[in-house]
Amino acid sequence: MSILTGGRTTPPTMPTDIFGSLWPLISDLAAGAGAPVDYVAVGVLGAAASLIGAKRRVQPFATTPKWQEPCVLWVAPVGDPSSNKSPAIDAATEPLSLLEHELAQQHKSRLINYQTEQERARAEKAEWQSLVKAATKDGVSTPSMPTAAQEPEEPQRPRLHVKDATPEAMSDILAGNPNGTLHLRDELAAWLTSFERYSPGGREFWLEAYGGRPHVVDRKSNKNGPLFIPFNGVTVLGGIQPEKLRDCLLKTADDGLVPRFLWVWPDPIRYQRPRELADVSQLEQIYRRLLSLEASKGEDGRIEARVILLATDAADVFEAWIRDNDEAVREASSLYKGFVGKLRGMVLRLALVAELLSWAATGDREPTTITLRTIVAVLEFVDDYAKPSAIRVFGDAALPEAERNAAALGRYILKTKAERINARDVRRTSGIATLKAVPEVEAATEALTEAGWLRPAPHRNGEAIGRPSKDFLVNPAVHEASRE
C-alpha cells in the first residue's frame, strides 16, 4: 500500500507556540473554511509580513549591523484541488480587501488635491511662458520658471495585495507603495512558470523582490527617467497542486528561488461543519494595528525601517542553532540543501512577524527586541515543521513520473472500488491528467503489477480477430487493506 504515497513522507503536525494567543482564532477560521489549520496559519503569517513590510527589519546581533532581514515571506500551501487551499487563504487574507477599500477612499481625496495643484501649476506655467515670450520679444533676460509651475507627482493608489501582475506592472505598483505589498496567487504554478513570458529578467526581478532592497528600473518608454523603487519587497502567498510540483520545482533553474519558500503540505481533512463562528473582526483589528506601525520617510520617499534586535538570551540560542543548522546543510543535498541553507534568514523573518503579531493581538507596547520565547517558538516551528514539510515536498517532486502516475492510478482504483480496469478506459474516463497517453498508462499499470495491485487479464470479445483488450484484475487484498 506504500505505493499510494509514492515514498511521500507523513506530514508533520504544526507547532502552535509561534502563534501564541492567536491559535484559537486560526483554528476557528480553518474550521469555517473546511480546511487544514496549516493553510490558514501560514496565510496569516504571509498577510502579517506584507503589512509590516518596509517599516521594520530584524538584526540578530548588535555586532552585525550589515546582517538585517526585511519583513518579506514567501509561503506555498500545497494540496489537491479538494483540500480547500483557496478558502483557507481567503480566510486569512479577507480583511486586507476591507482595509484596501478604505485606503482607496482616502486616495480619492488625495487625487482631488493633486488635480487642484496640477491645474494651478499649469496656470502658473502658462503665465511664465507668456513672460518668457515677452522677455524674448523685448530682448531682456528670461525669467526663471517659478516653483509653483512644476506639476506635482500623481499619487498612486495604495495596494495591500495584488492578485496577478507582470514584473513591469509590479514595478509601477511598488514605486508608489514604499511599504511593499502582497502578491496573492490562487495558483502558484502559473506564476512560477511565467517569469520569462513577458520580458527577459522576470525571474531576476522576483528574486530581488525577496530581498527588499531599493531597485531602479530603466525603461526606454519612461520619459521621466529611471523608475525608483524604494523597497523592492513582495511577500508571496499562493497554493499549488502536488501534480504540478515536479514541473515547477525540478524544471526551474537552481538559483535559490524554490528554497526561499515556506512549504506547507498537510493531509486533507474530513469535512465537519464548524461549531463556532470565527471572529473575523479580531483578525481585522490585528491587521489594522500592523498597518498602522509608524515609520519615518527619507527625502527620496524611502521608508526608514526601525531595526529590532534579538534579546541577548534569544541571540545566544539563535547562535547555537546556526551551528547545528550548518551541520544539517553539510549533510543535505539537492533542493533541500538550498532550503536549509537559507533558513537563517527565514528564522529571523518569522521571528519578526511572530513578535509583532503577538503585539498586535494583545495591545501591549510595541516590542523593542525579539524575545527568547519568540525565537524558541520559531525554531521549534522551523525544525519540527518547516524542515519536514520541505522534505515531503521535494521528495514527492523528485519521484519518477511512472511512480507518481502509479500512485494516482492506485488512488483512483480505491476511490471507484474497481475490481477490474481497462487501460483505454483509464485514459478516457479516469480524469487523471497525467494518464492521457498510452506510454504513461502502460508504465503506471506495470508499476502497479509489480507492486501486486494488478494482474493482466487480456481478453477478446467472442471470436473477434485483433489485439486483446488490456484489462487488469485488481487484487482484492488492496481493497481489504484500504478498509483497515
Side-chain angles (χ1 to χ4, degrees), residues 108-126:
K108 289 182 179 179
S109 299
R110 287 194 294 271
L111 277 179
I112 293 174
N113 293 334
Y114 158 73
Q115 291 166 353
T116 302
E117 294 176 7
Q118 183 185 49
E119 290 302 318
R120 172 61 187 271
R122 288 175 176 174
E124 292 281 356
K125 188 173 183 179

Side-chain angles (χ1 to χ4, degrees), residues 67-375:
W67 183 10
Q68 296 180 359
E69 295 289 337
C71 201
V72 175
L73 290 177
W74 286 5
V75 185
V78 181
D80 296 313
S82 59
S83 60
N84 281 355
K85 299 186 302 298
S86 295
I89 293 173
D90 290 344
T93 58
E94 180 183 2
L96 296 180
S97 297
L98 174 62
L99 297 178
E100 188 168 300
H101 175 72
E102 293 178 0
L103 292 173
Q105 295 301 113
Q106 299 171 14
H107 178 61
K108 289 182 179 179
S109 299
R110 287 194 294 271
L111 277 179
I112 293 174
N113 293 334
Y114 158 73
Q115 291 166 353
T116 302
E117 294 176 7
Q118 183 185 49
E119 290 302 318
R120 172 61 187 271
R122 288 175 176 174
E124 292 281 356
K125 188 173 183 179
E127 176 66 21
W128 167 73
Q129 288 172 335
S130 65
L131 294 176
V132 171
K133 290 180 180 179
T136 302
K137 182 179 180 180
D138 297 339
V140 297
S141 60
T142 303
S144 299
M145 187 177 73
T147 303
Q150 297 178 357
E151 292 193 21
E153 291 187 10
E154 181 177 357
Q156 288 205 27
R157 172 189 160 199
R159 301 295 300 273
L160 298 185
H161 64 313
V162 180
K163 294 194 174 181
D164 188 12
T166 63
E168 290 78 6
M170 185 61 79
S171 296
D172 290 333
I173 291 170
L174 290 173
N177 287 267
N179 195 53
T181 190
L182 171 67
H183 193 48
L184 189 61
R185 300 295 302 230
D186 186 59
E187 181 50 66
L188 196 63
W191 177 68
L192 289 169
T193 56
S194 71
F195 293 145
E196 306 301 327
R197 184 178 305 161
Y198 303 102
S199 63
R203 190 178 186 88
E204 288 73 16
F205 170 83
W206 288 112
L207 282 167
E208 292 185 13
Y210 185 80
R213 299 178 182 85
H215 186 70
V216 177
V217 179
D218 292 300
R219 296 180 188 164
K220 293 181 180 180
S221 59
N222 195 340
K223 298 180 181 179
N224 297 322
L227 183 69
F228 177 65
I229 301 173
F231 178 71
N232 187 22
V234 182
T235 288
V236 177
L237 172 61
I240 189 169
Q241 299 175 25
E243 288 75 15
K244 298 180 180 180
L245 279 172
R246 183 182 178 89
D247 289 341
C248 292
L249 269 63
L250 299 186
K251 292 185 180 180
T252 56
D254 186 15
D255 53 9
L257 187 143
V258 168
R260 282 172 164 81
F261 276 94
L262 171 62
W263 297 96
V264 180
W265 190 1
D267 279 338
I269 63 171
R270 183 181 180 184
Y271 179 76
Q272 183 177 357
R273 75 176 188 271
R275 297 292 185 259
E276 298 288 340
L277 185 63
D279 186 4
V280 181
S281 64
Q282 181 184 355
L283 187 62
E284 178 192 327
Q285 290 304 314
I286 290 170
Y287 287 175
R288 285 185 184 278
R289 203 158 193 221
L290 294 174
L291 182 63
S292 66
L293 282 168
E294 295 181 356
S296 57
K297 283 188 179 182
E299 294 182 359
D300 58 0
R302 186 185 312 182
I303 291 177
E304 297 177 352
R306 185 179 301 172
V307 178
I308 300 180
L309 289 167
L310 299 187
T312 302
D313 49 2
D316 293 339
V317 170
F318 182 57
E319 181 184 6
W321 177 87
I322 289 177
R323 290 193 288 268
D324 291 340
N325 191 66
D326 285 348
E327 289 293 329
V329 173
R330 285 188 282 271
E331 296 173 2
S333 60
S334 191
L335 285 170
Y336 184 64
K337 186 181 186 73
F339 175 82
V340 178
K342 294 187 179 301
L343 279 179
R344 292 186 186 186
M346 185 183 292
V347 164
L348 292 173
R349 296 176 188 215
L350 286 170
L352 179 59
V353 173
E355 193 72 52
L356 291 175
L357 261 176
S358 176
W359 160 76
T362 59
D364 296 334
R365 293 180 59 185
E366 183 183 339
T368 56
T369 60
I370 306 295
T371 65
L372 176 63
R373 185 204 68 81
T374 297
I375 202 70

Side-chain angles (χ1 to χ4, degrees), residues 367-421:
T368 56
T369 60
I370 306 295
T371 65
L372 176 63
R373 185 204 68 81
T374 297
I375 202 70
V376 168
V378 169
L379 292 177
E380 178 192 20
F381 179 86
V382 167
D383 285 338
D384 296 347
Y385 186 81
K387 287 181 177 179
S389 294
I391 291 173
R392 176 170 160 87
V393 168
F394 298 153
D396 188 81
L399 281 177
E401 188 174 7
E403 291 185 29
R404 291 163 54 85
N405 288 340
L409 182 55
R411 290 190 289 269
Y412 169 77
I413 289 170
L414 293 182
K415 180 180 178 181
T416 59
K417 300 179 180 179
E419 298 178 357
R420 187 184 192 102
I421 64 169

